[in-house]
DNA sequence: TCTTGATCATGT
DNA sequence: ACATGATCAAGA
């Protein structure tokens, strides 16, 4: 097992080491078997890079590197570096939301500092041959946070007001709510139309692809302008 | 073609 | 059931 990085610098240095390598090469280094596809191993890439970078294993509701205040997110991208999928953030709380604000929300907590690692994700490329890209350490700027906060508030208002069944993935400019469960049979409690308790499918918060695309793109621009060439 | 809604694996 | 890690795949 690889020990956790002691500081941000060490984490970034580790991430830089695997940029350009294939998942097969990283897996081989860790003595981990590469699946033929991700149909039954949807979290495999994320878990692989967590292991390599020394993130703590387990399913605790914390950042991957809580001692550094950093969350790790792998993001599948196409040949142009554009995201192929939305990004799951956390489960949407449907009950006991009294007094919860944006500042105390799980969404803000998870997104305050994220290490994005793009990985080739096109299904035409064998999993073992997919390459790891350059990591991007990101925190939302004021404009991004304002949009996130607005979306979060709109969606949470509906949940609190018993409108969860009316929430669809079409709502939210950059933040959306979609089902998040093992299957269609999973149920959890929520507030119903009349303020009563109902059972509904568990939901999660996700970032739209365009939002993460902007994060990756803007990073490249700022890097170019700051390096002065 | 692309997004929404559905689903898979694992640990607590 | 819910948290972690996400991608799949049906239908618009």
């Amino acid at each position: 097992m690889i020990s956790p990085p002691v500081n941000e610098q060490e984490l970034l240095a580790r991430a830089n080491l695997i940029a350009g390598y294939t998942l097969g090469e990283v897996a081989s280094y860790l003595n981990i078997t590469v699946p033929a596809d991700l149909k039954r191993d949807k979290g495999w890439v994320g878990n692989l890079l967590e292991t390599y970078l020394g993130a703590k294993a387990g399913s605790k509701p914390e950042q991957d590197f809580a001692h550094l205040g950093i969350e790790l997110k792998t993001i599948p991208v196409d040949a142009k570096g554009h995201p192929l999928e939305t990004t799951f953030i956390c489960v949407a709380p449907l009950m006991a939301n009294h007094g919860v604000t944006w500042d105390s929300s799980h969404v803000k907590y998870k997104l305050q500092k994220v290490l994005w690692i793009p990985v080739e994700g096109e299904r035409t490329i064998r999993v073992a041959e997919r390459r790891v890209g350059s990591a991007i350490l990101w925190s939302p700027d004021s404009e991004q946070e304002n949009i996130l906060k607005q979306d979060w508030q709109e969606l949470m208002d509906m949940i609190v007001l018993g409108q969860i069944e009316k929430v669809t993935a079409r709502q939210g400019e950059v933040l959306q709510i979609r089902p998040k469960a093992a299957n269609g049979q999973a149920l959890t409690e929520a507030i119903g139309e009349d303020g009563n308790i109902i059972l509904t499918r568990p939901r999660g918060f996700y970032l739209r692809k365009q939002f993460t695309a902007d994060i990756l793109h803007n990073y490249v621009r700022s890097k170019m302008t700051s390096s002065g060439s």
Side-chain angles (χ1 to χ4, degrees):
Chain A
M1 185 60 73
I2 296 175
S3 61
V6 297
N7 54 35
E8 187 175 299
Q9 182 184 9
E10 184 179 2
L11 173 59
L12 296 179
R14 288 186 190 180
N16 283 334
L17 282 177
I18 51 173
Y21 283 91
T22 65
L23 296 178
E25 288 169 333
V26 176
S28 175
Y29 174 75
L30 296 171
N31 286 310
I32 291 174
T33 302
V34 183
D37 60 61
L38 302 181
K39 289 182 183 179
R40 298 197 167 244
D41 295 272
K42 297 183 179 181
W44 186 83
V45 177
N47 291 147
L48 178 76
L49 297 194
E50 274 190 350
T51 300
Y52 181 83
L53 296 173
K56 294 174 182 175
S59 55
K60 299 175 291 296
E62 277 193 335
Q63 292 159 322
D64 297 287
F65 303 97
H67 59 301
L68 305 180
I70 295 175
E71 171 74 11
L72 173 69
K73 288 292 180 191
T74 58
I75 177 79
V77 297
D78 64 17
K80 294 181 179 177
H82 296 149
L84 290 167
E85 294 288 346
T86 56
T87 302
F88 172 72
I89 306 169
C90 62
V91 169
L94 304 182
M95 294 289 287
N97 284 308
H98 184 72
V100 177
T101 64
W102 165 248
D103 286 327
S104 62
S105 69
H106 289 308
V107 174
K108 181 183 178 184
Y109 170 75
K110 289 278 189 161
L111 296 182
Q112 57 186 285
K113 203 165 192 178
V114 179
L115 183 66
W116 298 93
I117 302 188
V119 177
E120 289 179 331
E122 289 174 314
R123 297 181 208 179
T124 53
I125 308 174
R126 295 176 59 209
V127 176
E129 302 304 319
R130 297 178 189 177
R131 290 188 177 276
V132 180
S134 299
I136 296 167
L137 186 60
W138 166 87
S139 289
D141 60 28
S142 58
E143 184 180 350
Q144 291 169 328
E145 178 162 346
N146 282 338
I147 299 176
L148 287 167
K149 180 178 180 178
Q150 285 177 29
D151 285 347
W152 180 88
Q153 193 64 61
E154 173 193 346
L155 295 166
M156 288 304 295
D157 283 348
M158 291 187 70
I159 289 172
V160 170
L161 295 175
Q163 301 297 302
I164 183 60
E165 298 290 25
K166 287 192 169 62
V167 173
T168 83
R170 295 166 183 77
Q171 290 171 263
E173 190 176 333
V174 302
L175 187 70
Q176 63 179 176
I177 282 182
R178 306 214 309 277
K180 165 66 173 175
N183 54 59
Q185 320 333 306
L187 294 172
T188 190
E189 290 186 339
I191 306 296
E193 280 189 296
D194 304 315
N196 54 327
I197 295 178
I198 63 171
L199 289 177
T200 188
R201 308 193 314 288
R203 317 298 167 89
F205 283 111
Y206 296 80
L207 292 178
R208 292 187 184 279
K209 287 193 286 185
Q210 187 57 59
F211 188 75
T212 48
D214 288 343
I215 292 172
L216 306 184
H217 178 63
N218 288 331
Y219 170 78
V220 173
R221 286 188 52 202
S222 63
K223 191 179 181 185
M224 290 174 68
T225 52
S226 63
S227 58
S229 149

